[in-house]
Amino acid sequence: MGTTAVQELDKVVIKFAGDSGDGMQLTGTQFTGTSALLGNDIATFPDYPAEIRAPQGTVAGVSGFQVHIGQTHIYTPGDQPDVLVAMNAAALKANISEVPRGKTIIIDIDNFKRKDWEKAGFAEDPLESGVLKDYHVIEAPITSLTRKALEGLGLDNKSITRSKNMFALGMVYWMFSRPLDYTERFLKDKFAKKELIYEGNVKALKAGYNYAETIEALSSASTILPADMAPGLYKNIMGNEATAWGFLAAAEKAGKELFLGSYPITPASEILHEISKHKHFGAKAFQAEDEIAGITSAIGAAFAGDLAITTTSGPGLALKGEALGLAVMTELPLVVVDVQRGGPSTGLPTKTEQSDLMQALYGRNGESPVIVVAAKSPAHCFDMAFMASKLALEHVTPVVLLTDGYVANGSQPWRIKQVEDLDDIVPHEASKNMMNWQPYERDTASLARYMVYPGMAGYEHRIGGLEKDHITGNISYDPRNHEEMVRIREEKVQRVANYIPDLEVQGEESGELLVVGWGGTYGSLTTAINQCQAQGRPVGHAHFSFIKPLPKNTAEVFGRFKKIVVCELNNGQLVNYLRGELPQFDYLQYNKIQGLPFRVAELTEKIADILAGK
Amino acid sequence: MGTTAVQELDKVVIKFAGDSGDGMQLTGTQFTGTSALLGNDIATFPDYPAEIRAPQGTVAGVSGFQVHIGQTHIYTPGDQPDVLVAMNAAALKANISEVPRGKTIIIDIDNFKRKDWEKAGFAEDPLESGVLKDYHVIEAPITSLTRKALEGLGLDNKSITRSKNMFALGMVYWMFSRPLDYTERFLKDKFAKKELIYEGNVKALKAGYNYAETIEALSSASTILPADMAPGLYKNIMGNEATAWGFLAAAEKAGKELFLGSYPITPASEILHEISKHKHFGAKAFQAEDEIAGITSAIGAAFAGDLAITTTSGPGLALKGEALGLAVMTELPLVVVDVQRGGPSTGLPTKTEQSDLMQALYGRNGESPVIVVAAKSPAHCFDMAFMASKLALEHVTPVVLLTDGYVANGSQPWRIKQVEDLDDIVPHEASKNMMNWQPYERDTASLARYMVYPGMAGYEHRIGGLEKDHITGNISYDPRNHEEMVRIREEKVQRVANYIPDLEVQGEESGELLVVGWGGTYGSLTTAINQCQAQGRPVGHAHFSFIKPLPKNTAEVFGRFKKIVVCELNNGQLVNYLRGELPQFDYLQYNKIQGLPFRVAELTEKIADILAGK
Amino acid sequence: MEKTETLEYTYKDFASDQEVRWCPGCGDYAILKSVQKVMPEVGIRKEDVVFVSGIGCSSRFPYYMDTYGFHSIHGRAPALATGVKLANPSLSVWQITGDGDALAIGGNHFIHAIRRNVDLNILLFNNRIYGLTKGQFSPTTDLGQKTKSSPQGTIDNPFNPGELVIGASGHFFARVADTNPKLMQAVFKEAAKHSGTSIVEIMQNCVIFNDKVYANYTAKENRADHIITIEHGKPMLFGANNEKGLVLRGFKLEAVTLGENGITEEDILVHDAYEEDNTVHMMLAKLKMPIVNGVIRAYKDDTFEMRLKKQVEEIERTSKFKSVNDLFTSGETWEIK
Amino acid sequence: MEKTETLEYTYKDFASDQEVRWCPGCGDYAILKSVQKVMPEVGIRKEDVVFVSGIGCSSRFPYYMDTYGFHSIHGRAPALATGVKLANPSLSVWQITGDGDALAIGGNHFIHAIRRNVDLNILLFNNRIYGLTKGQFSPTTDLGQKTKSSPQGTIDNPFNPGELVIGASGHFFARVADTNPKLMQAVFKEAAKHSGTSIVEIMQNCVIFNDKVYANYTAKENRADHIITIEHGKPMLFGANNEKGLVLRGFKLEAVTLGENGITEEDILVHDAYEEDNTVHMMLAKLKMPIVNGVIRAYKDDTFEMRLKKQVEEIERTSKFKSVNDLFTSGETWEIK
Ligand SMILES: Cc1ncc(C[n+]2csc(CCOP(=O)(O)OP(=O)(O)O)c2C)c(N)n1
Ligand SMILES: Cc1ncc(C[n+]2csc(CCOP(=O)(O)OP(=O)(O)O)c2C)c(N)n1
Ligand code: SF4
Ligand code: SF4
Ligand SMILES: [Mg+2]
Ligand SMILES: [Mg+2]
């Protein structure tokens, strides 16, 4: 990491870590909000314990929240913390290997007693064993100082102890010269009806701030200047929330009601939660009995004229395969969101991975083409949910939108859009005065059929999963008709290439090496390429949001580089797809399958190796 | 086809066609059986109406049975009939386009009245309109002659009319000098308790035979000499039956009980029916409530120590995806049979296609590798069911066996195997004296883990769908362990290449063009390559039964040819897989997606084109 | 294509141009005819009618109705129909299903549709066999019956659809034989009128794979004594001359003959289809001899979509977000200039 | 690893070495303890015990039992357990499931396992919420309850598991609260003893997402009056001093107080868990106040695997194929030399 330190001076990565019950998510969110208001660019990544609450004080029970703030553009939550706040021994144990030597670690020594470090799995007392010797350690009795600060306020013990996260936050606010008012306002709102708790929290916050000042927690308290971001109104948004909002916007723009058929699953459930809140926008969130009912209810809603979507994660997409084939065969507009997680099977449910691409492309019987797109970052989820809806409605075909756990749970400043600012969506429907409408007659350019919904008199018709005549839609077992229909369904998807943006290249426009990625690795790759460029390494970066079909200029872009390396968080899925689609190129690949995002350093190293011919 | 006539003199293709109720399947089977006993090689293909019985006398209701018999080796049921028996106008309508001019058509003129040909969809009387003018037509009043023949026997009208298929069969027997005794014996058995019906049928059979003789149905009644087949005891076997028997044999060989969890679906149901009959061989056929229960019950049975299989067709495989991932993750031996049919969705349920290969390879969330194999012909289903079981049990991994509607419903002479003659199957299990057994400890060569089943004291352990520690199998969220496990699961499947036969080449061993196929197209491709060779065209043919992993010598074989063309009954699935696996080669492709097998003539033409550089 | 200008339909208006392709003699024909006959009386414009089905012989049904139709995939029609209805509650949504489609692969969607009480009319063609796949046993096949996949007889207990429906908190359940067009029409009309999920089990004969499975009930000589047709508010009488009836003995229903052992019409149970408590309905659904036909249960309660509507109105009143734009600009925002 | 040489287990023999990871205070702990305590009394060697589960907090259970175990996928455990049992009928097979796992995604497998009557012991941890996915409503969540996915309250009617089980022709159904270890153990033992599919619904508290959902029944001050614990052959009495009981009024059960309105113990219903007719069992399962705990139904009949065994013996006797080789050489064959 030494080589990159210079570029990273204008940014800082802070990780808050403690027990599940210690309120670390809230602490992190507060720091994020305050920094956003100061105009910093930010990226965050919460890191929950896996699935079930584990026993207190154990590594399995550690909850973390990492935030990356900076004055220049931030694309990832950061590789490694510059500051780690460890509320107990387990939090230290779980995170220390990620903190580069020389960085700062704040420790609540009240939770580093023998029983604490034993439970955390340290063989020796970490404060003495030397594991911390290369770090800048700030030992603070956070718990006991909080207790003291709140003495006499009349709060019960539990509430007092719970306030210690505010004490820690106060310390960090001082260290980075953040104001306290954002959090004070937040606390006022949150505990509007619990005056005492509000007071306790604010008191703890200030006590921490003052304590840091007193001990001069950092030799020089550093401030991060605002980032250079496009003018506009911003708010902080999480990936899943952005996805939900993208659909709400698309429905409004298309003049349709939104129908979501879904079954809860980590890490996709929040999309369901969010849409459930807004039924009055004509958004029907239907929690089905399982994933199959989720998609089939959506198919029914699409048939009846709603903007129909279904959301899930990998195992759920596997279950939806058969029904997705029905949507392909009947040619209905439908968006399927897969928030990818570690697989196979139940796998690593709370971790991230990009290993559902093949499933999205091929996980159904027969020749069953769908549009496949992916979101690059939390805020980009909004754009891709909107775009997926537009493509589905305008091309009358199912679309699979791939996001992942990393993007879904991460957050990012989002330049707020208003519905007026968005592209039009014109659902491909038959008009009442269309002569001799036939269910499978097509637009000659897009090959989309013209939708008609129940309720329209004189247009009664039947569709289904059997092969159908290419015009009337009646059942047809005719061999040539089948071949024609198979080809039309594929061609219709391929023609979408005429309606999507070209592939862009970041960094060098041509030359030695093109780094190719897709979806949620955008931030890591962009940062890595920026660093490489700053170091004078001649690399370009092409990132796919549109995978099937590929952008029209893909071959042209690939042709401009001597080497191509495809970087993915899987065992090589996009690269194999590219080998099938554009066999004329040679592809190198770089894969990581650890349930974790790429680290920028890993990428720059790999790029350097390739450039060096290794 | 003109060019191939010479080679085909020693073979003949006969198609019996009539209404669903006309008994054409039985007629065809009888002709097949008689010919087999005479030592001919044979291949048959029944051609049912789609799904539901259609109205009598319509094209949709036509049922056909094609049989190809010959004195040399037969690989397909034949492209086009030399003799068509058309029991009614619809049967003529449905089949005439397949019959080359100059060939023989036998017609039951009793069913060619105006109402008949109108119902069949002819605009004019086909006997007069000239559509038959280039054919050798034999018009016979089959129905009324049958009635006359059986007059006074005391049979009811319905039974009399039903016997007309025997009359037709009798005619064809005479034309090809077949003896009647095989069918007489069959009828005796079948109507053991219905003396009168037996008599009626035999009478009709003989009447037909005599009638043909009287009218000298063919100027020269031709006989086909016995084929040159390997010595041994033979019987005629259907693909699905062969699949079922392969599993019965594998279970016996492995010393295990067989567990089949299945849900009926066309064209796979017969495997379930067949195994259901043999519960006393320790074969448990469990008809589950759906496909998911089919596979999960099989997974449970595998865990408990049975040879576990599940059988289905494309839509069912889509439903099994999630559970198949569980078998991958837990590493359990399991065979999944997919009898492919036309897709996507419900598609063309009674037609054949090879469009589930991608689904078999990739139709699950996460990195989820399984062994994928395919059967080449009806009798080969036996071998591949056996082999799939062997690989599953010895490598402790799921295997997908792909057959298809064409192979499953077709029949072929099978050189009868006895269990003693088969390869050993040695399930990879822990022995009682294994020291420190751990659930995910592996054989260093195959990487197979050592199975232990409930009931074994001291070896109690737990498995599941979450990622697991690479030794103990306990849940592990460790990033490096996950990456290691993903790679091990893939590598375990890849190492199966060390245990399977090399890819063989039929025809030229090297040179201009290699024709590549897989699974059920073997017969068509082999016949085509034989013809090309006979015409002096330098082509080789490599046919994959093992797809994942590929045989070890695949690249070496491919490297010997200047061009490679991959022929498939889909839109290009194997070819894309090969582009991913062996990107160093250029692949041409030839695809047909009509729910029908390749015709030999289509293939030879395509091959000629490629050789001519077209 | 012109707009249908009148509601004065005849049954022919509901017949599509597709050739009907069931086996000659199949019970499905009579059901189709009865549905077509009843549609004009239901009083809904045909463009507002949707028939949804799964897969099976019975599931071909939508092709034969000149309304909107969706022949979907095996077992999933209840969920698909739910989506149709929620997307457009003004549609009249009918689901056609078989005993395999509804109770084997589709069992879960079936019981959940029932639980939610979405206003669907579900006609269950119970021929106690898988027709389309040529004769395997279904979840309603009699114990011990030999079929293609049970060559030595089945060993699983069948479901009784009525018990399952009511156990899943079903509000409407009726049963009728395919041999009784008049009753079919009456019952279908009741189902259409009932708001909420209505299940009608039709004792349907499959001539090819399970012929005469109901002959013991439906054969001319058995009908009067082996089937009891009940009606809300009427005493439960049956027999050629209504000389028999049902009474309660302990916790069980019993068939008795009027006049014997001092039984009079007073003793005969009077049917209350509308009551909330399902105990008697369950007994009626369970009864095997005589088997009960007619509307067994028709308890009225809010439908899912009614509650949804109420909820939406409530949110409209209370939400601080009046539009999507409001929502987007809500919470902490900051301006960059 | 050595062979366990004795059946004299203590509950500790059934605790695996894995750390138990439920939230502090979760009702699952008490259930785990009760299962571990009851295992030694069931009298089965631990290598012959298999715990199968789906996905959910509850479904982590198998990891904590030192027996064979399979943590499978969401909703499919009944089918997987059926496969285990049919492969090796001598195993004692237990399934652990949640209200989402069993009744949402797994509803179909659940009712089909029940229908077939395979000898499985199914413990349904009903916390009326999706715990693992952090608090969405389940098919048993009270109508109107606000959860993560029903911010304005649910609008679907919940299932009552007991009604569903019995409606699916269930032979064994029991209910018990996680606060009553003694009754849990008694009931688990009955379930283990019962041959056929046994369903035990456990009223389980999720402290995090649905705390106190059963407090109205289980809180100390309510218990005696709001829960009635029934036992086969005994009168259905409850109350702190057994001063109340259940009687039949028309077709409904009613809670009464002894001594009031001339009610004596004679009038109180006596529980018959074993009888085939399920009418009273259904009423008991439905009752809301008091809620019924204990074994509600335990009707004995052939299990699926018993019938299978009989059938195999029958085929062995009658089949002309004595071996696979026989089969292969059967029918028309011909020799080529
Ligand atoms: C996913 C899937 N599994 C299996 C099938 C095969 N299949 C089609 S219909 C059917 C059962 C038909 O029985 P039923 O629902 O009773 O309808 P019927 O034909 O008797 O009217 C089956 C098993 C299928 N089409 N799709
Ligand atoms: C196919 C699939 N869909 C969804 C999920 C997500 N999921 C896991 S557990 C669960 C429900 C848990 O509720 P319940 O069964 O009641 O168990 P509890 O956690 O309450 O014990 C869900 C929806 C999954 N793991 N797999
Ligand atoms: S198979 Fe049976 S159910 Fe199907 S169409 Fe024929 S008679 Fe009707
Ligand atoms: S979330 Fe609820 S059910 Fe799950 S472990 Fe915690 S308390 Fe138990
Ligand atoms: Mg049926
Ligand atoms: Mg639950």
Side-chain angles (χ1 to χ4, degrees), chain B residues 262-571:
Chain B
S262 186
Y263 187 72
I265 187 167
T266 305
S269 306
E270 293 82 9
I271 307 176
L272 168 64
H273 302 169
E274 181 61 25
I275 293 180
S276 299
K277 291 183 200 152
H278 306 297
K279 296 203 175 119
H280 62 308
F281 297 155
K284 284 155 283 192
F286 173 65
Q287 181 177 310
E289 56 273 24
D290 64 12
E291 282 85 353
I292 301 178
I295 186 171
T296 45
S297 62
I299 289 173
F303 177 66
D306 275 3
L307 167 56
I309 63 173
T310 184
T311 53
T312 191
S313 184
L317 185 60
L319 288 167
K320 290 178 200 286
E322 191 210 5
L324 184 50
L326 177 66
V328 169
M329 183 59 119
T330 48
E331 303 186 45
L332 285 170
L334 174 75
V335 181
V336 181
V337 180
D338 174 8
V339 184
Q340 299 167 97
R341 63 189 221 184
S345 194
T346 312
L348 296 171
T350 59
K351 303 290 173 188
T352 200
E353 207 159 274
Q354 296 186 298
S355 54
D356 289 347
L357 177 58
M358 283 312 205
Q359 171 172 235
L361 288 165
Y362 304 120
R364 299 163 292 284
N365 58 302
E367 295 290 350
S368 187
V370 297
I371 299 173
V372 178
V373 301
K376 301 194 289 196
S377 69
H380 192 237
C381 288
F382 179 91
D383 304 324
M384 290 316 291
F386 185 87
M387 187 66 175
S389 309
K390 181 174 162 74
L391 292 177
L393 292 169
E394 295 186 344
H395 296 262
V396 193
T397 181
V399 179
V400 175
L401 166 58
L402 297 171
T403 73
D404 60 54
Y406 178 63
V407 156
N409 287 319
S411 75
Q412 198 186 10
W414 174 59
R415 202 162 119 226
I416 293 172
K417 302 216 167 98
Q418 295 283 276
V419 173
E420 311 76 84
D421 310 333
L422 299 166
D423 283 350
D424 282 337
I425 296 181
V426 186
H428 199 254
E429 293 165 358
S431 59
K432 294 248 160 147
N433 43 28
M434 210 169 154
M435 298 286 291
N436 297 318
W437 173 84
Q438 293 279 359
Y440 286 79
E441 218 186 337
R442 291 163 198 285
D443 180 88
T444 49
S446 69
L447 298 181
R449 73 187 189 94
Y450 296 88
M451 288 292 294
V452 159
Y453 312 116
M456 196 156 152
Y459 289 69
E460 292 81 3
H461 66 284
R462 276 80 38 203
I463 65 174
L466 288 161
E467 185 59 279
K468 40 186 55 48
D469 179 82
H470 66 294
I471 303 287
T472 63
N474 290 334
I475 300 174
S476 165
Y477 295 110
D478 181 70
R480 311 239 159 233
N481 177 77
H482 176 51
E483 180 146 331
E484 183 180 344
M485 287 296 269
V486 167
R487 297 201 193 279
I488 285 177
R489 287 187 289 260
E490 175 68 30
E491 176 67 15
K492 181 182 63 166
V493 170
Q494 291 302 340
R495 290 211 189 162
V496 169
N498 298 329
Y499 303 83
I500 57 173
D502 272 355
L503 185 63
E504 285 177 15
V505 180
Q506 174 220 351
E508 303 296 323
E509 282 292 331
S510 65
E512 258 341 278
L513 177 64
L514 180 69
V515 176
V516 169
W518 65 278
T521 56
Y522 176 78
S524 322
L525 288 172
T526 302
T527 309
I529 268 54
N530 281 344
Q531 288 191 8
C532 288
Q533 282 216 295
Q535 293 157 7
R537 299 209 162 101
V539 283
H541 168 213
H543 208 83
F544 287 98
S545 289
F546 296 90
I547 295 175
K548 175 149 188 167
L550 291 168
K552 277 205 292 190
N553 66 330
T554 304
E556 185 269 310
V557 168
F558 284 11
R560 288 192 242 135
F561 290 84
K562 289 211 189 113
K563 288 185 179 169
I564 300 170
V565 60
V566 183
C567 304
E568 301 175 79
L569 299 174
N570 59 37
N571 212 2

Side-chain angles (χ1 to χ4, degrees), chain A residues 50-55 58 60 263-266 269 272-273 276-279 287 289-291 319 345-346, chain D residues 19-23 55 57 60 72-74 76 100 104-105 130 132-134 136-137 148-149 151-152 209:
Chain A
E51 299 190 74
I52 289 201
R53 278 130 233 93
T58 65
Y263 186 72
I265 187 167
T266 305
S269 306
L272 168 64
H273 301 170
S276 298
K277 291 182 199 151
H278 307 297
K279 296 202 174 119
Q287 181 177 309
E289 57 273 23
D290 64 12
E291 282 84 354
L319 288 168
S345 194
T346 312
Chain D
E19 204 173 7
V20 183
R21 296 196 171 182
W22 290 304
C23 303
I55 299 283
C57 293
R60 289 293 183 104
S72 76
I73 45 177
H74 199 30
R76 317 303 173 187
I105 193 169
Y130 293 169
L132 185 65
T133 48
K134 307 206 163 85
Q136 300 82 10
F137 67 89
K148 284 251 182 74
S149 54
Q152 301 97 15
F209 298 111

Side-chain angles (χ1 to χ4, degrees), chain C residues 58 98-101 125-132 138 140 204:
Chain C
S58 36
D99 42 321
D101 192 60
F125 293 29
N126 186 4
N127 56 13
R128 303 195 177 178
I129 200 83
Y130 293 170
L132 186 64
S138 91
T140 56
Q204 177 240 327

